[in-house]
Amino acid sequence: MNFRIMHGLCLLAVLSINMPAVIATPIEIDVDTGLSSVTVQYCLGANCANDSSPVIGLTVLKLDSIASPAQIQLHDFFFALTEDIQLNLTGLSAVGAGMMFEYATPGVPTEPEPVGPGGGFSLFDVPANQSGIVSYTATGTTCLLLTFAGYPCAGAIDLSQQGTQLGYFTGIVETLPGRVVRLTLHPEISGPLDPANPALGTVSITGTVVGMAAIPLRGDANLDGAVDAADIQPFVDTLLDPGAQSWQRRFAVDMDDDDTFDSFDAARLVDCLIEGQCGD
């Protein structure tokens, strides 16, 4: 073994003792806006209108294996609409601005769900919050309905006051050459416009959200595509302060995938450097 590796492994052994930091090490997948869009539908009784917008955002998830995932957990997401939503019903004209929906409990992952042979999966009871301002003008019967509910016939509704809804997500996760994970999500989230006045109708969000991310090798702490002596110093830096590092570096350094940065990861790196046993 060359001196550089020997010196680095000694450094690991010293610095990795009593490293208690616990930070989840999921992967982060940016939304591909060109392939992603969301449709917002508002229904007042049988009277419905909808409009669509591209979205930007992020999905954070954990897979039990990158090469061949059999389980998936959702850790976080946010999807922000890039365009205003125009809704026109009989007796009502509304514009939704700054609309976004996001995971209501970041840091608390969903239960692991199975991934099928073709990469298909379903996520149940996903807690989601919405935000944005819906400005509206109502006439006729719709104006009367709003008045009875305590709303003016022209005004604005803050969607962040809706509370948390439980959504249903289906999707496909695929591993492409080069350890690239491609994620396709189909969210379905629905809830009353005003939980205190369900007669005011419901807002539903559906769509297709697509993104891809390149996943680093375990042990590749400097993210250059290889695991070698050059990874030892950034590996140590991550053990000392994982919260200051990117998700890619945390993923690479959490060798045993237990969301803890400690001496066990250092031991796995030793095996990786000496015997090539780096894990998935």
Side-chain angles (χ1 to χ4, degrees), residues 68-81:
S68 182
Q71 283 190 330
I72 186 171
Q73 280 182 291
L74 184 65
H75 280 238
D76 200 1
F77 70 84
F78 79 90
F79 305 134
L81 282 62

Side-chain angles (χ1 to χ4, degrees), residues 5 13 30 54 59 61 80 97 110 144 151 188 198 212 253 274 279:
I5 291 180
D30 291 319
T59 305
L61 57 89
T110 61
L144 290 175
Y151 287 94
E188 297 180 20
M212 291 190 293
V253 170
I274 296 175

Side-chain angles (χ1 to χ4, degrees), residues 133-166:
I133 301 296
V134 177
S135 303
Y136 67 89
T137 301
T139 59
T141 304
T142 304
C143 176
L144 290 175
L145 180 62
L146 288 170
T147 302
F148 290 146
Y151 287 94
C153 291
I157 295 175
D158 183 353
L159 294 179
S160 68
Q161 302 305 307
Q162 283 184 291
T164 298
Q165 299 91 41
L166 295 180

Side-chain angles (χ1 to χ4, degrees), residues 100-190:
M100 182 174 75
F101 58 109
E102 59 188 339
Y103 193 50
T105 56
V108 181
T110 61
E111 291 296 319
E113 296 292 348
V115 176
F121 63 87
S122 297
L123 302 174
F124 305 92
D125 296 333
V126 178
N129 292 333
Q130 300 180 30
S131 59
I133 301 296
V134 177
S135 303
Y136 67 89
T137 301
T139 59
T141 304
T142 304
C143 176
L144 290 175
L145 180 62
L146 288 170
T147 302
F148 290 146
Y151 287 94
C153 291
I157 295 175
D158 183 353
L159 294 179
S160 68
Q161 302 305 307
Q162 283 184 291
T164 298
Q165 299 91 41
L166 295 180
Y168 172 61
F169 287 26
T170 59
I172 297 174
V173 60
E174 307 166 88
T175 302
L176 307 178
R179 289 176 62 87
V180 172
V181 169
R182 175 186 169 96
L183 177 71
T184 303
L185 277 180
H186 302 291
E188 297 180 20
I189 302 170
S190 182

